[in-house]
Amino acid sequence: MEITIIGLPQSGKTTIFNAATRGSAQVAAYANRINLGAAKVPDERLDVLNGIFNPKRKVNAEVTYADLPAAPEGLGKTQSIGGEYLNTLQRADAILMVARNFDDPSVPHIADSIDAFRDIDTLLFELTISDLDILERRLQRVAEGFKGAKTAERDALNREQALLKNVRDNLEAGVHVRDQTLNHDELRLLSGFQLLTAKPLVVVVNVGEDRIDDIASIEQRLADEVRTERIRTAALCGKLEMELGQMDTEDEFEFRESLGIVGESGLSRVINLCYEALDLISFLTVGEDEVRAWPITRGTSAVKAAGQIHSDLERGFIRGEVVTFPNMVSCRTLAEARKNGMLRQEGKNYIVQDGDIMHVLFNV
């Protein structure tokens, strides 16, 4: 899964990218290339299973981040989003939006003042304008398609036109596509347009080191004004998290303790928020070769989950042997779990749950 990071110029989005990936991408206003990086999804269950099975390797699920440079035409000027910048955003599985909440006279804000919530509104408006442009262009093509269309084709065009107009009207009223009530068929039709306001969104307010004490109040306001079922929000100090991310684990923990910011790191926080926004869970596989976490969308069936491991497992799926993580910890081996009646036999339509440990039986 790929998360694309956007923000107004000088928002510190590359700093957030470095914090999330433990990277060292150049933090500069003139950077003009996409930074790519991956981050392992933290999962304490894998650490426990690694201790039980002592495999050759432990494989966490991963999130890939793409840190976009400022758009050539500049965001925040209602000139819409286009070209390769738009194409990159459309390929993303989710968008991470960074808004600035730090003072730095050497790096002036494009609006000459600091207001993170104003900037969030500006960026959301830019995404909306982009979607409206796409919808209007498609509506024009649909209107042209009526000329010479046969009855069945006209019926399909009428349905599409009605849907696009409804989505457009809701967007103009301030309702993003992700928050509109749409059925499965409508969502499938719209998916081909890769509308930006349909994508899961994570909003991060990048706080200055002198405003760390304000994080709790900022997060409360984010929860009240920005957060929805498919928008996740957080406030963190990107500069500090980036510096901490360059330390080894023990030094990082000690430094966090000295600053009184023990708990989840910025890296883990952002990754977990992206996981939530995408409605992802992890199922696990175990063995002598590896213990591994596999990301899947919540509600995925056993046969589709098997396909994440290998297409042959989906094609020749017979059944899944499933044990919960707590039962695996208590039994220590699959054989013992089977002996104690804790290893269940599940068919292809079983809905895999977060933390399920699954062994797939197949035949091709």
Side-chain angles (χ1 to χ4, degrees):
M1 60 195 147
E2 182 170 301
I3 313 296
T4 297
I5 305 175
I6 64 169
L8 295 179
Q10 324 299 348
S11 61
K13 61 186 181 58
T14 302
T15 301
I16 297 295
F17 168 83
N18 285 335
T21 62
R22 296 188 184 274
S24 55
Q26 184 179 26
V27 180
Y30 52 81
N32 59 2
R33 64 182 181 86
I34 297 175
N35 296 309
L36 297 174
K40 296 183 184 299
V41 178
D43 194 331
E44 293 180 354
R45 297 170 302 195
L46 278 184
D47 299 328
V48 174
L49 294 171
N50 192 61
I52 293 173
F53 287 89
N54 193 28
K56 295 175 183 176
R57 61 177 185 161
K58 179 186 72 169
V59 184
N60 292 63
E62 285 193 346
V63 174
T64 299
Y65 290 97
D67 169 36
L68 291 187
E73 69 274 16
L75 279 176
K77 298 178 181 178
T78 63
Q79 296 179 26
S80 188
I81 301 170
E84 184 57 31
Y85 194 92
L86 174 60
N87 293 338
T88 303
L89 276 175
Q90 288 181 315
R91 290 194 296 268
D93 296 305
I95 295 172
L96 195 161
M97 178 184 294
V98 178
R100 174 175 173 173
N101 195 49
F102 62 88
D103 291 311
D104 187 344
S106 67
V107 186
H109 192 288
I110 61 170
D112 296 324
S113 62
I114 305 300
D115 184 339
F117 287 85
R118 174 203 60 205
D119 293 350
I120 292 169
D121 287 341
T122 297
L123 288 165
L124 290 174
F125 184 67
E126 292 285 356
L127 299 182
T128 298
I129 292 295
S130 174
D131 284 354
L132 287 171
D133 284 349
I134 291 170
L135 291 171
E136 288 295 346
R137 288 197 297 271
R138 179 57 188 170
L139 280 166
Q140 289 175 12
R141 288 195 291 271
V142 169
E144 293 167 359
F146 279 104
K147 299 173 183 177
K150 297 179 181 178
T151 301
E153 294 170 336
R154 292 181 69 86
D155 289 343
L157 288 170
N158 276 319
R159 287 194 298 272
E160 182 177 356
Q161 185 181 64
L163 171 62
L164 296 181
K165 285 183 175 180
N166 182 58
V167 172
R168 179 198 62 190
D169 293 346
N170 282 324
L171 265 177
E172 290 176 341
V175 183
H176 297 148
V177 177
R178 72 176 69 83
D179 296 321
Q180 296 184 26
T181 303
L182 300 164
N183 63 37
H184 176 75
D185 290 338
E186 291 170 335
L187 288 171
R188 185 174 59 182
L189 191 154
L190 288 174
S191 66
F193 303 119
Q194 289 295 318
L195 299 174
L196 301 185
T197 67
K199 294 182 181 294
L201 177 66
V202 177
V203 177
V204 174
V205 172
N206 187 11
V207 176
E209 291 179 272
D210 58 338
R211 297 184 182 180
I212 290 177
D213 292 342
D214 297 334
I215 284 178
S217 61
I218 293 170
E219 292 203 325
Q220 184 58 57
R221 186 177 171 188
L222 284 167
D224 294 340
E225 300 180 17
V226 180
R227 187 182 178 106
T228 68
E229 185 177 344
R230 294 193 70 202
I231 298 179
R232 292 294 180 265
T233 58
L236 55 85
C237 178
K239 184 173 183 294
L240 178 60
E241 293 291 348
M242 180 178 70
E243 292 170 352
L244 289 168
Q246 307 306 315
M247 300 180 180
D248 62 46
T249 304
E250 187 174 336
D251 289 344
E252 180 185 355
F253 180 78
E254 291 179 358
F255 194 51
R256 284 185 182 278
E257 275 196 322
S258 70
L259 295 174
I261 52 172
V262 294
E264 196 174 29
S265 69
L267 176 151
S268 297
R269 183 88 186 280
V270 171
I271 291 173
N272 287 331
L273 287 172
C274 292
Y275 231 58
E276 288 180 22
L278 286 161
D279 201 22
L280 293 174
I281 61 172
S282 293
F283 77 95
L284 314 171
T285 54
V286 298
E288 294 180 357
D289 289 335
E290 69 175 25
V291 297
R292 184 167 186 155
W294 301 89
I296 55 173
T297 304
R298 191 181 305 277
T300 297
S301 65
V303 65
K304 292 298 183 183
Q308 294 297 309
I309 302 173
H310 197 283
S311 58
D312 283 351
L313 272 66
E314 180 177 357
R315 184 160 56 93
F317 185 93
I318 299 172
R319 66 180 180 274
E321 295 183 327
V322 180
V323 58
T324 65
F325 172 73
N327 286 341
M328 185 73 258
V329 173
S330 64
C331 293
R332 312 288 289 184
T333 67
L334 290 172
E336 190 67 17
R338 183 180 290 108
K339 177 182 175 183
N340 287 284
M342 295 179 179
L343 189 70
R344 310 188 311 273
Q345 308 296 314
E346 300 289 0
K348 62 173 62 177
N349 294 324
Y350 168 72
I351 301 302
V352 179
Q353 303 298 307
D354 185 42
D356 274 353
I357 295 163
M358 185 166 70
H359 175 64
V360 179
L361 301 177
F362 71 106
N363 182 34
V364 292

